[in-house]
Amino acid sequence: MRPYPFTAVVGMAELRLALLLCTISPSIGGVLVRGEKGTAKSTMVRALAGLLPDVDVVDGCRFSCDPAAPDDSCPDGPHGTPEEARRPARLVELPVGAAEERVVGSLDLERALRDGTTDFQPGLLAGAHRGMLYVDEVNLLHDHLVDTLLDAAAMGRVTVEREGVSVSHAARFVLIGTMNPEEGELRPQLLDRFGLTVEVASSRDAAERVEVVRRRLAYEADPDAFAAGYADDDAALAADIAAARDLLPSVTLTDEALLQIAEVCAAFEVDGMRADIVTARTAAAHAAWCGRDTVSTEDIRVAARLALPHRRRRNPFDAPGIDSDQLEEALRNAQPPETDPDGDSGDSGDSGDSGDSGGGPDDPDGPDDDGPGGGAPDPGDEAGTDSGGRGDGSRPTGDTGEPAGDGEDGTAPRKQQRVGAEAPYRAKLFTVQGAGTGADGRRSRAEGERGRTVGVLPEGRRSGSSRSVGSAGSAHLVATLRAAARQRPRRGARDGGGLVVLPRDLRYARKEGKEGNLVLLCVDASGSMGAKSRMREVKTAVLSLLLDAYQRRDKVGLVTFRASEAEVALPPTGSVDVAAARLEQLPTGGRTPLAEGLTRAAEVLRVEALRDGNRRPLLVVVTDGRATSGPEALARAHAAADAIARTGVSSVVMDCESGRMRLGLAATLAGRLGAEHVALGDVAAETLTDEVKRRAA
């Protein structure tokens, strides 16, 4: 089936512009597309493949060497005087669950041991060389693959080291990633490797949504005929891209333009110099796209809106984006007193959307129309086009108190309150007992396919989990040779006295590393927690745990209980910033349904175990241990705790009780759960460090 045409996508002007600029100038470094599900992120990126210019390669080279400058270390080389071939540029997709050997390439270990020959099979990064590498749901990529991408993006090469054999080849590509922020954020190092970032959302205009559906249905009914209807528009756009690429080397970046770029980047306090370089390259590409040979203030304005939003974040709870007024002020401050590159006295007025300001040839990024070339988000590649509301997950509150009899003493009503948190601190490390086989992370001990080698797996096993010899895993060379040597008396030796190694001799390394966990926070929001100072301290501690979960690559969930019920404020997700937003708006007041909170938490853990059985949970109960909802409330809470303890879930009870007269109910609850008991004031890692120093003094 032919791919959806690029020019048939409705709207999405800013995303279209960002993709086109990276096609014109691959040195920009790619695009990160952030947006809710069903917004045509994947469809638009895949449609870009048809617009990429052809590339000249060495005929027969599996690593796409440039005939004008072949790679001296190419595994298929040396090329000598190469014969040229021309092929379409590639857009290679990297699956989130890909094995590392499939990404970087692999050595035929059996042949290397048997014949002494290095036979390297190229991976996905080799296929993406001089093209584009696309990672859908890039925020879900395993850490070891993220590390591999970072190395390749930084060095422009891939090096494979295995069993004393080293293979290296060039891998320069434009990295394009799509992600739904609700499923988690990217590591800062990988985030910075994307040249540009674009936020996308589904249109709320009924007419535009109708056109999206109409085009999608037409495409599904007859893909070839639909694509043929936009073939001329795609061809014209490809020609415009080629013209802009030809013009790009002639674009002049004046000292005044460089000063504006530096002023803008300094104004937004971005780290490092990559932001300045990417902004300069993007501005030059935008000028070439618009048919100009000199970079103007408008080019810098567009470039800054695309290149800076993701570089000004300081922590995972910061919202991406840049302030338009601050951008305009920085642009004005850098302009000479009596000159104006735009000819409008330095006042840009309404700068509008950066995507609408870049009308190049035939203005494919200008206002949409209903004819071919207008463009249409394809809702077909992702379920739905609307997130179904993006509220904070908490119930409406206002200033109205709870109904009579819902207070902590059972008689007086208590008003709901909302208390903000202070700045998060470095939290103490809480881990899950034992060793797991979950996703890569930095919290608990795990045995799997990555990490340091601590031994040899039993014969016939290739990983630390229950998977058998068909799974990915790295061979243990010494153990393999030892197994073959034991069979030498029966097999004899090869010609020349060499050791005979058969596939059944292969032994695999037992590795130990770290895994990410599911951190489920069960937070008491009842009236007993309602004192502003205490609830602020609680929210700060929970926010610190969320920051710790982000850094350790955990999934997080949030269950709250107050009044007469418990609710799942946030189902388990990788997005800690969403969890932080729900926590910030959490109201307090009313009775303490501790049993209901523990029961709801247990249900969440049960369902999540069915979805992702390898990710082990850590339950964090934030409470003072009181239970005042209904008769026998404390007994029901203890029964719920006993039920959780029988499942073997690792737990932590964060004790929020304060004051001189303490009942010790949280400590009793921790005993029932078999949990670690931690006072609220001891959650900070510095608290433990200070106590150790004090006792050692």
Side-chain angles (χ1 to χ4, degrees):
M1 186 168 68
R2 295 179 63 175
Y4 198 89
F6 189 85
T7 53
V9 179
V10 174
M12 314 291 283
E14 190 171 70
L15 173 56
R16 190 182 327 167
L17 178 61
L19 293 174
L20 292 177
L21 293 180
C22 283
T23 304
I24 293 168
S25 177
S27 62
I28 289 174
V31 184
L32 174 64
V33 189
R34 297 164 48 94
E36 59 194 24
K37 54 186 177 291
T39 49
K41 302 185 298 292
S42 300
T43 294
M44 200 162 192
V45 172
R46 293 186 177 107
L48 182 67
L51 304 178
L52 300 177
D54 292 346
V55 294
D56 293 322
V57 298
V58 173
D59 190 23
C61 177
R62 298 174 297 167
F63 300 86
S64 303
C65 281
D66 186 350
D71 182 9
D72 293 336
S73 60
C74 175
D76 284 354
H79 294 298
T81 305
E83 295 184 7
E84 297 185 16
R86 193 169 183 84
R87 64 160 176 79
R90 296 171 181 157
L91 189 146
V92 176
E93 295 193 37
L94 193 160
V96 169
E100 185 173 5
E101 293 181 351
R102 181 70 185 95
V103 176
V104 301
S106 60
L107 294 172
D108 189 334
L109 181 60
E110 181 182 345
R111 185 177 177 188
L113 291 172
R114 185 181 65 242
D115 303 331
T117 302
T118 301
D119 183 15
F120 182 76
Q121 299 298 319
L124 295 176
L125 296 183
H129 178 47
R130 302 178 66 201
M132 292 190 172
L133 182 68
Y134 171 48
V135 187
D136 192 14
E137 304 295 349
V138 64
N139 50 327
L140 302 182
L141 203 63
H142 289 299
D143 268 7
H144 70 286
L145 295 183
V146 171
D147 294 337
T148 299
L149 280 184
L150 286 172
D151 290 342
M155 306 301 297
R157 300 193 67 79
V158 172
T159 301
V160 179
E161 302 277 357
R162 283 194 61 189
E163 283 75 36
V165 179
S166 176
V167 177
S168 178
H169 64 85
R172 292 183 296 275
F173 49 82
V174 176
L175 183 61
I176 299 179
T178 58
M179 60 174 284
N180 183 348
E182 293 184 358
E183 296 174 341
E185 288 293 342
L186 281 178
R187 285 169 52 181
Q189 297 91 333
L190 182 57
L191 187 64
D192 190 52
R193 285 294 171 183
F194 287 96
L196 312 178
T197 185
V198 177
E199 296 278 339
V200 297
S202 57
S203 173
R204 297 299 184 259
D205 179 78
E208 190 168 286
R209 294 174 74 96
V210 167
E211 185 61 23
V212 169
V213 176
R214 180 183 293 118
R215 295 190 187 188
R216 181 63 192 184
L217 293 178
Y219 170 72
E220 292 178 349
D222 192 344
D224 293 336
F226 183 84
Y230 289 89
D232 292 342
D233 297 299
D234 272 5
L237 184 57
D240 293 337
I241 293 172
R245 294 187 75 164
D246 291 340
L247 178 60
L248 182 61
S250 303
V251 174
T252 301
L253 196 63
T254 63
D255 290 342
E256 290 79 5
L258 288 173
L259 180 61
Q260 281 187 302
I261 292 171
E263 186 75 31
V264 168
C265 293
F268 287 102
E269 299 180 347
V270 296
D271 294 331
M273 296 299 299
R274 185 173 287 118
D276 303 63
I277 296 171
V278 171
T279 303
R281 289 170 174 167
T282 306
H286 188 263
W289 175 241
C290 295
R292 296 191 295 267
D293 58 5
T294 303
V295 172
S296 69
T297 298
E298 180 58 28
D299 299 320
I300 298 172
R301 180 181 293 113
V302 172
R305 290 183 182 277
L306 295 172
L308 299 186
H310 60 302
R311 291 190 165 87
R312 60 176 298 273
R313 302 186 72 185
R314 289 296 181 267
N315 65 64
F317 310 134
D318 291 339
I322 59 175
D323 183 79
S324 298
D325 294 337
Q326 187 178 359
L327 174 59
E328 295 304 324
E329 182 180 359
L331 290 171
R332 285 194 297 269
N333 290 341
Q335 286 186 359
E338 298 182 358
T339 61
D340 180 13
D342 289 337
D344 60 357
S345 72
D347 186 3
S348 62
D350 184 9
S351 60
D353 191 333
S354 63
D356 295 332
S357 60
D362 295 333
D363 196 19
D365 292 302
D368 302 314
D369 54 41
D370 293 332
D378 169 20
D381 71 313
E382 296 163 290
T385 58
D386 197 339
S387 62
R390 303 189 63 170
D392 60 18
S394 60
R395 292 173 294 167
T397 55
D399 295 326
T400 305
E402 292 289 338
D406 199 29
E408 192 62 31
D409 58 2
T411 58
R414 186 180 295 269
K415 288 188 176 182
Q416 298 179 18
Q417 306 175 44
R418 283 186 180 174
V419 181
E422 297 178 349
Y425 46 74
R426 187 168 66 90
K428 178 183 176 182
L429 173 61
F430 301 104
T431 61
V432 177
Q433 299 175 357
T437 57
D440 288 347
R442 299 186 181 88
R443 181 172 297 277
S444 304
R445 190 166 65 90
E447 293 184 1
E449 300 165 7
R450 289 167 291 278
R452 62 188 182 93
T453 300
V454 295
V456 182
L457 289 171
E459 184 176 349
R461 291 275 295 279
R462 293 191 64 171
S463 73
S465 66
S466 59
R467 288 172 288 182
S468 59
V469 173
S471 305
S474 58
H476 195 292
L477 181 59
V478 174
T480 297
L481 294 177
R482 187 183 297 119
R486 285 197 293 265
Q487 303 298 324
R488 187 167 186 171
R490 285 186 292 178
R491 297 177 188 167
R494 297 178 52 210
D495 294 340
L499 182 66
V500 177
V501 180
L502 300 179
R504 62 175 176 270
D505 298 324
L506 292 175
R507 300 292 183 269
Y508 296 90
R510 175 172 167 261
K511 296 186 175 183
E512 184 175 289
K514 294 288 187 180
E515 67 175 359
N517 299 111
L518 166 62
V519 179
L520 182 62
L521 298 162
C522 185
V523 181
D524 183 351
S526 65
S528 65
M529 306 286 290
K532 287 187 177 181
S533 58
R534 188 190 306 179
M535 198 60 198
R536 181 175 291 109
E537 190 177 0
V538 167
K539 286 191 175 183
T540 302
V542 175
L543 193 66
S544 302
L545 291 175
L546 289 175
L547 180 60
D548 183 66
Y550 165 78
Q551 294 169 340
R552 299 186 187 281
R553 313 305 292 169
D554 297 318
K555 291 179 69 176
V556 295
L558 179 61
V559 173
T560 64
F561 55 95
R562 58 176 297 276
S564 60
E565 63 180 13
E567 64 177 353
V568 181
L570 181 71
T573 176
S575 180
V576 296
D577 53 347
V578 175
R582 304 285 169 88
L583 177 71
E584 185 69 20
Q585 301 187 21
L586 177 66
T588 62
R591 295 186 176 184
T592 310
L594 178 57
E596 287 76 3
L598 294 175
T599 301
R600 180 60 65 91
E603 177 63 17
V604 171
L605 294 177
R606 185 189 69 81
V607 173
E608 194 63 20
L610 297 176
R611 294 175 177 169
D612 187 359
N614 286 333
R615 187 180 289 270
R616 298 187 297 159
L618 176 65
L619 175 62
V620 181
V621 183
V622 185
T623 183
D624 56 9
R626 296 186 183 184
T628 61
S629 179
E632 303 295 331
L634 192 58
R636 290 189 294 108
H638 288 170
D642 293 341
I644 292 176
R646 286 193 293 271
T647 66
V649 172
S650 294
S651 306
V652 176
V653 173
M654 189 188 301
D655 191 346
C656 302
E657 191 173 27
S658 61
R660 293 183 178 180
M661 299 298 295
R662 302 192 181 190
L663 302 177
L665 296 176
T668 302
L669 178 65
R672 292 275 188 169
L673 286 169
E676 180 178 357
H677 175 251
V678 182
L680 182 61
D682 294 337
V683 174
E686 287 76 7
T687 303
L688 180 62
T689 303
D690 293 344
E691 179 65 15
V692 172
K693 290 180 178 178
R694 184 186 67 78
R695 296 188 179 186

